[in-house]
Amino acid sequence: MTTADDLLEDLAITSGKRQYPRLPEGGRLYRWRGIVAGVLLLTLFGLPWLEFEGHPLFLFNVLERKFIFFGVPFWPQDFHLVAIGLLTFILFIVVFTVAFGRLWCGWACPQTVFMEMIFRKIENWIEGDYKAQKRLQAATWTAEKIRKKALKHGLFLLIAFAISNTFLAYIIGKDELLRIQTDDPANHLGGLAAILIFTVLFYLVFAKVREMVCVVICPYGRLQGVLLDKKSIVVAYDYVRGEPRGKLKKQDTAPKGDCVDCSLCVQVCPTGIDIRKGTQLECINCTACIDACDGVMNKIQKPIGLIRYASQEGIEQHKKFRFDGRLQAYTAVLVVLISVLSYLLINRKDVETTVLRASGLTFQQQDNGQVSNLYTVEVINKTFRPIELNFKVKNPDFQLQYVGQALKTVRPGELTKGSFFLLTPAKKITENKTPIEIEVTANGQLIDQVKTNFMGPVE
């Protein structure tokens, strides 16, 4: 039953009260989170500097609508793939959350990784543990406090500056970023302003806003309430085994659960909640409470797992986690979504050619006894290199004649338009609509075969 103290505590959490969590050092899951965080941070800071064929491996240039994934460029003409990718990503989040809870939040979310594995550790290194931080915050301003606060926030600003530069490198590329950093500042006022704005933004997020990003701002946390069910795997307290909780006393003969009410699970929680009250929107599944509780269970010689990854149904019915049919089905959906998107990406053409008969025209009869049709052609070059094009009609009875300048070179990322006539002797026409196939070659290699129709009179 919720008491007045519980309500006041919840209100303090959501109203922005500063949290001073205890670091769950020594826990096995905390060590694994550190390894995962190290890999993710190395990947995040390293990817903008990797190149493939002279171009960034990843680029998200929303200003010029140019994107690069694994060295493959995507242009505005690929918007349908971007839309499908976003839809797949949203569905992936929904299905993954329904099956596995907020696993992303605790292990891979940039907010959690930076906050818990970098900024929080720096804070503990400079100001001491959570108790020392509280004392320092409440103390009057002395030379010691000024020194510690200045050092901490100075390091916070430097890290925010590094994150800002990395973030910008993903948008404009490392070459442009290096020009902003080394060239005359007057030539790059916009870029410098962007770096400073993002630096201040990241500093405020990790130095001031902190856990409120997860508790209030992030929409994913709000979605959790409608996506989770009794079978979803979350960080949960086994109240069946743990209640009634109470301190260990030798003379106490009343039956008690395994929870000794040490409150370590609350002390280590970065959002300040009590996991023993059940699944809450503020819980980011960081597993800090699991490590803290397992440490206590080991000390009192009780089985670990009083707080663990489990479902509500599993706790109520004493079922161990199994990769059951439900999870298999959800995982299959995830595999299908990823497979569909992968298929579309793998089969994406480097050059797209569209040939259409000129609207409003049927055919033209020439004085030399030939019949012609006018066509418009659009060619999109989706690569980083210029492409030399050539069009050839497979049917030997037809001749291709350009209107104006012939389509030859298409530059990277450009859409080129042109027109041409197809001509054939009238006596060669045997039907009103003749299927035609046009071969498109680029740099001597066949890249596309376009099908269209030729209209003409039948003699």
Side-chain angles (χ1 to χ4, degrees):
M1 182 176 178
T2 302
T3 65
D5 290 338
D6 294 335
L7 291 175
L8 289 174
E9 182 181 344
D10 292 340
L11 181 60
I13 293 172
T14 56
S15 63
K17 181 181 177 181
R18 172 69 179 274
Q19 301 298 319
Y20 295 91
R22 178 177 186 167
L23 287 186
E25 296 179 351
R28 59 185 179 86
L29 291 177
Y30 188 73
R31 289 196 299 269
W32 275 110
R33 283 176 59 207
I35 295 172
V36 172
V39 173
L40 292 176
L41 289 171
L42 182 63
T43 302
L44 175 69
F45 286 103
L47 281 181
W49 303 94
L50 299 180
E51 290 187 347
F52 179 74
E53 295 183 349
H55 297 276
L57 192 65
F58 284 88
L59 185 71
F60 307 93
N61 193 337
V62 294
L63 303 176
E64 298 178 5
R65 296 182 297 171
K66 177 183 176 182
F67 305 91
I68 302 175
F69 297 92
F70 297 101
V72 179
F74 292 84
W75 307 91
Q77 296 81 9
D78 292 312
F79 178 76
H80 64 288
L81 289 177
V82 176
I84 294 173
L86 288 175
L87 179 61
T88 302
F89 181 69
I90 293 171
L91 291 175
F92 180 92
I93 289 177
V94 171
V95 175
F96 189 89
T97 304
V98 170
F100 302 105
R102 294 181 69 174
L103 194 64
W104 158 267
C105 295
W107 289 80
C109 175
Q111 170 69 19
T112 304
V113 170
F114 278 111
M115 189 69 249
E116 302 304 320
M117 296 300 167
I118 295 183
F119 289 91
R120 195 86 73 188
K121 287 186 176 182
I122 290 175
E123 199 166 48
N124 276 257
W125 170 59
I126 295 174
E127 297 184 353
D129 63 12
Y130 70 108
K131 293 181 180 178
Q133 292 173 33
K134 289 181 180 180
R135 289 195 299 267
L136 184 67
Q137 187 68 21
T140 57
W141 284 97
T142 62
E144 176 77 4
K145 181 172 181 177
I146 292 173
R147 181 184 65 82
K148 289 185 176 182
K149 291 291 184 181
L151 178 59
K152 182 184 80 169
H153 288 284
L155 290 176
F156 280 10
L157 275 171
L158 285 176
I159 297 172
F161 181 73
I163 299 173
S164 175
N165 279 267
T166 302
F167 181 77
L168 198 60
Y170 277 103
I171 298 176
I172 63 177
K174 69 176 183 65
D175 294 334
E176 182 63 26
L177 177 64
L178 290 174
R179 277 192 288 271
I180 294 174
Q181 294 172 341
T182 58
D183 199 4
D184 184 354
N187 298 330
H188 304 280
L189 294 178
L192 290 172
I195 292 176
L196 293 176
I197 290 172
F198 283 123
T199 298
V200 173
L201 178 63
F202 287 123
Y203 167 77
L204 291 176
V205 166
F206 295 113
K208 301 297 181 182
V209 184
R210 302 165 74 93
E211 60 276 346
M212 295 304 295
V213 172
C214 304
V215 175
V216 177
I217 299 174
C218 179
Y220 181 48
R222 304 293 102 185
L223 284 174
Q224 180 186 210
V226 296
L227 294 178
L228 299 183
D229 58 26
K230 289 186 176 182
K231 294 185 177 181
S232 299
I233 303 300
V234 296
V235 172
Y237 165 66
D238 189 346
Y239 59 89
V240 176
R241 170 188 157 190
E243 300 297 325
R245 72 185 77 152
K247 303 292 184 181
L248 284 179
K249 296 179 181 179
K250 292 183 179 180
Q251 66 274 20
D252 195 350
T253 57
K256 288 183 179 179
D258 286 351
C259 179
V260 296
D261 204 16
C262 64
S263 76
L264 280 178
C265 56
V266 181
Q267 294 176 23
V268 299
C269 180
T271 58
I273 66 170
D274 188 343
I275 192 64
R276 296 171 296 180
K277 296 179 181 179
T279 302
Q280 298 158 67
L281 293 177
E282 294 83 7
C283 179
I284 59 173
N285 283 204
C286 68
T287 71
C289 55
I290 296 179
D291 283 333
C293 187
D294 284 351
V296 174
M297 292 297 107
N298 285 328
K299 290 179 180 179
I300 64 174
Q301 298 181 346
K302 295 281 188 179
I304 63 173
L306 181 60
I307 301 176
R308 63 183 185 273
Y309 277 117
S311 65
Q312 182 179 342
E313 183 181 83
I315 289 175
E316 291 175 349
Q317 301 178 16
H318 301 282
K319 292 182 178 179
K320 292 185 178 180
F321 172 76
R322 291 189 308 107
F323 195 66
D324 57 14
R326 171 180 173 274
L327 287 180
Q328 292 174 13
Y330 282 137
T331 305
V333 172
L334 296 180
V335 172
V336 170
L337 290 174
I338 296 172
S339 299
V340 170
L341 183 60
S342 300
Y343 173 81
L344 293 173
L345 294 176
I346 292 172
N347 289 275
R348 168 185 174 273
K349 296 180 179 179
D350 289 340
V351 179
E352 282 191 7
T353 307
T354 303
V355 176
L356 298 172
R357 291 183 61 256
S359 59
L361 298 175
T362 53
F363 58 87
Q364 304 83 40
Q365 291 183 314
Q366 308 294 330
D367 294 337
N368 58 2
Q370 289 189 319
V371 177
S372 65
N373 280 196
L374 178 63
Y375 296 84
T376 59
V377 58
E378 292 185 356
V379 181
I380 303 171
N381 180 5
K382 298 181 179 180
T383 68
F384 288 123
R385 60 188 184 279
I387 292 179
E388 299 290 333
L389 289 177
N390 186 47
F391 294 84
K392 179 182 177 182
V393 187
K394 290 188 67 173
N395 193 322
D397 295 330
F398 289 82
Q399 177 187 358
L400 189 148
Q401 180 180 319
Y402 287 102
V403 177
Q405 188 176 2
L407 287 177
K408 287 296 182 183
T409 303
V410 185
R411 290 185 292 183
E414 286 196 354
L415 183 150
T416 303
K417 298 181 180 181
S419 302
F420 61 79
F421 284 107
L422 286 184
L423 301 97
T424 188
K427 61 183 179 180
K428 296 289 186 178
I429 301 175
T430 58
E431 51 186 323
N432 292 328
K433 184 186 293 186
T434 305
I436 298 294
E437 191 168 338
I438 300 174
E439 293 182 341
V440 184
T441 58
N443 302 326
Q445 294 184 344
L446 180 66
I447 60 169
D448 203 356
Q449 290 182 320
V450 182
K451 294 182 180 180
T452 185
N453 294 306
F454 185 91
M455 307 296 293
V458 179
E459 295 185 355

